[in-house]
Structures are given as structure tokens and as C-alpha cells.
Amino acid sequence: MSEQQRIKDQAEPLREHMSRMEKKQSQQEEGVLPSRKKVHRNRSKKKKKGVTVSFPLVRLLLMAFLLIVLLLVFSPYWLNL
């Protein structure tokens, strides 16, 4: 009976091996983790993407400049009509 039971549960040695490996890995990871300062510094670097215009005056001046350029480009068409 024990022979059949052992044959049916072929995965038991693998389970034991995996549990030993998990214990070793958890013990090794305890001292390897980076400090919070490094983690948050990396997060803030990743968030800074693209150019954002936050000042309303700069945004207004940019829109006025684009409008003037468009008016200058299309003014010959309007003056000829």
C-alpha cells in the first residue's frame, strides 16, 4: 500500500524542494531591498515626461503667437477676395 501511495504522490519531493528554495530566496531578499529614498527618486524621474506649460501667461502668449502666424499665412487669400 505504501508503494502505491508513494507512486501516486510523485510531486511531494518537488514540493519540498520548492519550499526550501522559497525559504532561501526570502532570506536573501531581506537585505537586498533598496531604500525608500532610492525607490521614490526613481519614481519621480519616470513621471517627468514631456513639456508642460503651467503658466497661464505663457500659454496665452503661445496661443497669440500661433494665431498671428496663421493670420499672416492666410491673409493673402483674404485680401485677394
Side-chain angles (χ1 to χ4, degrees):
M1 184 86 171
S2 67
E3 183 71 26
Q4 287 179 345
Q5 198 174 28
R6 190 182 71 180
I7 292 172
K8 286 183 181 180
D9 195 18
Q10 294 175 353
E12 185 61 35
L14 293 173
R15 285 189 204 110
E16 291 173 3
H17 179 69
M18 286 303 295
S19 66
R20 280 186 265 136
M21 293 297 288
E22 287 174 355
K23 286 179 185 177
K24 283 183 183 179
Q25 191 176 23
S26 66
Q27 290 173 354
Q28 290 174 351
E29 288 179 351
E30 287 177 2
V32 181
L33 296 175
S35 67
R36 285 186 178 196
K37 184 177 181 180
K38 289 180 183 177
V39 171
H40 290 291
R41 186 181 307 148
N42 291 338
R43 283 184 72 192
S44 65
K45 286 181 183 177
K46 289 180 183 177
K47 282 185 179 180
K48 294 179 183 176
K49 291 184 180 179
V51 177
T52 59
V53 180
S54 61
F55 302 107
L57 181 61
V58 174
R59 195 177 307 163
L60 178 67
L61 290 174
L62 180 66
M63 294 299 291
F65 176 76
L66 291 175
L67 183 64
I68 291 170
V69 169
L70 287 173
L71 287 173
L72 289 175
V73 169
F74 290 110
S75 65
Y77 297 112
W78 293 328
L79 295 177
N80 289 336
L81 290 178

